[in-house]
């Protein structure tokens, strides 16, 4: 793609405050240069062509997780996808699936955050922490590395086919975050804490379709966490059975 090439951006537009107007595509023809990201083009459209266009962004460097959307059928962060990478001059943008659209590419993240909150995504300590930091060995850190990379962009949430049919499912991001703290050497939550996700709305709801792995821009693999949590739940179950037998 050379300096001076044009691209046609087709954006699904909708405004929840005007529900009588059906979702519809609007097209914007924009001149681009190599290296421009989808987010940069959106910012240009909003600044120079259509100030009513709504989308989220902040860091512009794949860190804050706010700019997730569907780009030519694939869920990704708009700030890390270059327009020239598609080999086509037409690019279609749609909001993240599985979340209610507020306006254009902005979705209501409340259900995502509610599920996240459910797993208590923070270190739980039996006693107050020491004055200094709690060190970890390289091995201990490696155990949680991939999950600590999650930027909570909800790409996996949007890609999940289980959430498409069951909004009560806690979702891949929350389960990956739970495993991140369960595996953390500094966390003291009781082993039984994971009983909170011991049902079809939790770890047993996942169909292992694995779309969340494809969608994650940070190479987190939520199914690894789900398998890990399932194994731990089975161990707890076996322990309970043996304890019961011992009492008989
Ligand atoms: S703007 Fe922060 S991740 Fe894209």
């Amino acid at each position: 793609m050379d300096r001076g090439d044009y691209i046609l951006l087709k954006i699904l537009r909708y405004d929840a405050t005007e529900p009588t107007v059906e979702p519809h595509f609007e097209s914007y023809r924009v001149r681009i240069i190599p290296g421009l990201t989808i987010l940069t083009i959106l910012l240009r459209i909003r600044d120079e062509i259509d100030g009513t266009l709504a989308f989220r962004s902040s860091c512009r460097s794949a860190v804050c997780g706010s700019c997730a959307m569907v780009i030519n059928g694939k869920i990704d962060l708009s700030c890390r996808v270059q327009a020239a990478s598609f080999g086509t001059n037409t690019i279609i943008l749609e909001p993240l699936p599985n979340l209610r659209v507020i306006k254009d590419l902005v979705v209501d993240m409340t259900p995502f955050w509610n599920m996240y909150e459910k797993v208590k995504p923070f270190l739980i300590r039996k006693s107050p922490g020491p004055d200094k930091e709690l060190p970890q060995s390289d091995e201990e850190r490696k155990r949680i590395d991939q999950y600590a990379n999650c930027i909570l962009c909800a790409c996996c949430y949007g890609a999940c086919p289980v959430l498409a049919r069951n909004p009560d499912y806690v979702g891949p991001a929350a389960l990956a975050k739970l495993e991140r703290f369960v595996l953390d050497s500094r966390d003291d939550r009781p082993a039984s804490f994971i009983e909170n996700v011991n049902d079809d709305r939790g770890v047993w709801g996942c169909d292992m379709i694995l779309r969340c792995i494809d969608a994650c821009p940070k190479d987190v693999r939520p199914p690894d966490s789900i398998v890990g949590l399932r194994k731990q739940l089975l161990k707890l179950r076996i322990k309970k059975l043996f304890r019961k037998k011992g009492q008989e």
Side-chain angles (χ1 to χ4, degrees), residues 102-247:
I102 297 173
K103 189 169 190 295
D104 303 334
L105 301 168
V106 175
V107 291
D108 180 2
M109 295 281 283
T110 307
F112 175 81
W113 294 121
N114 285 345
M115 295 304 180
Y116 180 61
E117 203 180 338
K118 267 188 188 170
V119 303
K120 297 200 188 303
F122 43 80
L123 283 181
I124 295 177
R125 303 279 305 159
K126 274 186 197 147
S127 53
D131 295 338
K132 290 181 184 171
E133 71 268 27
L134 293 162
Q136 286 187 302
S137 68
D138 284 349
E139 264 325 295
E140 287 167 341
R141 170 65 203 190
K142 261 186 210 153
R143 287 213 307 256
I144 61 170
D145 257 354
Q146 67 147 321
Y147 306 121
N149 285 340
C150 170
I151 58 170
L152 299 169
C153 59
C155 283
C156 60
Y157 195 95
C160 178
V162 178
L163 276 160
R165 65 167 194 267
N166 178 13
D168 292 332
Y169 176 49
V170 71
L175 291 170
K177 196 57 79 171
L178 173 58
E179 179 75 330
R180 177 246 176 277
F181 285 100
V182 166
L183 293 179
D184 195 311
S185 55
R186 303 161 297 180
D187 193 273
D188 292 333
R189 72 188 66 206
S192 59
F193 183 87
I194 58 174
E195 296 284 2
N196 292 324
V197 292
N198 188 14
D199 57 25
D200 283 349
R201 286 170 299 173
V203 291
W204 305 105
C206 175
D207 286 346
M208 289 289 157
I209 308 288
L210 311 183
R211 281 195 202 140
C212 51
I213 295 177
D214 293 338
C216 180
K218 294 291 173 180
D219 296 328
V220 180
R221 297 171 50 89
D224 291 357
S225 67
I226 293 167
V227 170
L229 290 165
R230 284 177 177 178
K231 280 184 184 166
Q232 290 166 72
L233 281 164
L234 289 173
K235 272 188 205 163
L236 279 179
R237 182 93 192 263
I238 290 167
K239 261 191 199 170
K240 262 189 205 166
L241 283 175
F242 274 110
R243 216 176 296 144
K244 227 179 172 185
K245 280 233 164 203
Q247 287 164 359

Side-chain angles (χ1 to χ4, degrees), residues 39 57-67 77-79 151:
L39 177 58
S57 71
S58 182
C59 70
R60 301 194 198 186
S61 42
V63 174
C64 73
S66 63
C67 67
L77 300 173
S78 65
C79 68
I151 58 170

